[in-house]
Amino acid sequence: MRFAAVSAVAGLALATGAVTAAGPWDGGQRKAERDLAAAPARHGGARHADGERAPGAAPAVLAPLPKAGKRSADGLAEALEPLLKDSALGSGQAAAVVDATTGERLYGVGQSDAYTPASTIKLATAAAALSAVGPERRIETTVVAAGGDGVVLVGGGDPTLTATGLGDLADATARALKARGTGGKVKLAYDVSRYSGPVLHTIGLNDNIAPVSPLMVNEGRLDDSDRGPADRTAEPAADAARKFAALLREKGVEVDGDPGEGRAEEKAARLASVASPPVSALVERMLTNSDNDIAEALARQTALASGKPASFEGAAQAVTERLAALGLPMPAVHIADGSGLDRADRASAEFLALLLARAAEPGRPALRPVLTGLPVAGFSGTLRDRYPRDAAGRALVRAKTGTLTGVNTLAGTVVTPDGRLLAFAFLASGTTDADAAQKALDRAASALAGAAPPGT
């Protein structure tokens, strides 16, 4: 049963031009979007009930459009309902559409029901991490002294650490050891105590995700890829430590034997460190490429920032609490992991659409990477190949995809011809043809943009 246009989230005002800007990029985040989100209120933006602009509110490039009424809601129903009845969408479908500027709920069918969200749950992981950790925080990998001639490589949880970054860390470590007069021969250990609990996801060792470790290089990939499925090492931390030992030897530091697992002392002297890109950039990369390793790392960073164990269970609890604190509808939500690979994850279409609207709030610029990281239809990430050059909705739809066997989902934003920014979520279960289901979801998203007539 679809819901009428009822205001649910007051005071949402997004700089629509910022969300659709093309660049430039700065550290992974569109600089124009970030700057606009933090711009002074004098340029426009949200207003108090008395008409005065809210202090510090993010500006709005477009003035609020007329309040959506019955005709608007009925128009969406007329456009969407035939498309959502497509047999390619399987045995169950849910949908929700929200005006991201006003918070009005414009359309819904099965919107409160719990569905397996697949990778669209990464939107929840992103919002929780940005709320708990902050967009500017960086994750460090460090080397500390361990008494005598010992050194410890300490994993901080950066899955984006590359061989180049590890080389920089080895170079800085060699210089520090030389300065301390202990650069001749060292005993190397590695510390993975920042995380706890099982390291394997419920799907086991898989080419979609490495064992979840706070210490890994290139996401444990055994090839030169930086995204998508790939063979993974079963021992990402030990492999990283062995590579680090080899790099130290290249720098003239003799390493005694093979590195073993150890534990850094709490007040150990720091010798060197390298840092990840900021969390905002990690969120964008995770959403654009649907990166499972980054997703699980961000979920654990949320747990650490919330004082919970950095395990699958602790991360799930921390993410859930952060989402509830954002005032989102939680009855149909169950977080089992950060990536959406776990079929025990549950979310409603209403939850996902309102989460996207929440990320558009002028008072929450820290959440803006949830929007700027969305793949652009026909141009980037997991939507690059789903909207051919002549496809309706190309460049107009920005959305997170989700795919598991029998599950296809899509949640994102679209700008209508009159300039209104809509947040939407479409969830389908019991699908049998992933390609056909994806095309059906893409047609529905395109219809929101007015780019395709119903039924095409």
Side-chain angles (χ1 to χ4, degrees), residues 336-426:
D337 67 358
S339 60
L341 291 172
D342 196 324
R343 288 179 176 272
D345 286 316
R346 293 290 183 272
S348 65
E350 178 184 38
F351 164 81
L352 292 170
L354 289 175
L355 186 157
L356 289 160
R358 188 69 81 213
E361 286 192 10
R364 300 182 190 272
L367 296 184
R368 212 71 84 238
V370 174
L371 302 181
T372 60
L374 293 173
V376 180
F379 287 91
S380 65
T382 55
L383 285 184
R384 180 186 299 273
D385 300 322
R386 280 183 48 172
Y387 287 74
R389 187 170 297 276
D390 60 347
R394 181 180 170 89
L396 299 175
V397 174
R398 298 183 67 164
K400 181 70 197 76
T401 58
T403 306
L404 293 171
T405 301
V407 174
N408 294 93
T409 60
L410 190 68
T413 63
V414 64
V415 179
T416 65
D418 59 1
R420 171 173 288 173
L421 183 74
L422 303 182
F424 67 89
F426 302 138

Side-chain angles (χ1 to χ4, degrees), residues 142-146 150-152 169 172-173 176-177 180 182 268-273:
T142 61
V143 178
V144 301
V151 294
V152 183
L169 185 61
T173 300
L177 289 171
R180 290 166 63 95
T182 56
R270 176 181 291 204
L271 300 176
S273 67

Side-chain angles (χ1 to χ4, degrees), residues 81 83-95 109-111 113 115 349 408 425-431 441:
E81 286 177 358
L83 299 176
L84 295 175
K85 291 178 181 178
D86 191 321
S87 61
L89 294 179
S91 57
Q93 307 86 33
V109 57
Q111 68 276 358
D113 297 340
Y115 276 73
N408 294 93
F426 302 138
L427 309 177
S429 64
T431 59
L441 294 174

Side-chain angles (χ1 to χ4, degrees), residues 67 145 180 243 245 258 315:
K67 181 178 177 65
R180 290 166 63 95
K243 291 176 183 177
D258 290 330

Side-chain angles (χ1 to χ4, degrees), residues 224-242:
D224 294 329
S225 66
D226 63 0
R227 67 192 68 184
D231 289 338
R232 310 299 183 101
T233 175
E235 299 179 320
D239 280 0
R242 285 190 285 266

Side-chain angles (χ1 to χ4, degrees), residues 159-209:
T160 65
L161 179 65
T162 63
T164 299
L166 196 67
D168 292 341
L169 185 61
D171 186 56
T173 300
R175 293 197 307 269
L177 289 171
K178 183 177 181 180
R180 290 166 63 95
T182 56
K185 185 176 183 179
V186 298
K187 182 69 175 179
L188 176 65
Y190 61 94
D191 185 342
V192 291
S193 62
R194 191 164 176 81
Y195 288 1
S196 60
V199 299
L200 284 181
H201 192 280
T202 55
I203 65 172
L205 189 62
N206 189 280
D207 61 3
N208 286 301
I209 188 171

Side-chain angles (χ1 to χ4, degrees), residues 326-337:
L326 289 173
L328 296 168
M330 300 299 291
V333 177
H334 175 72
I335 304 295
D337 67 358

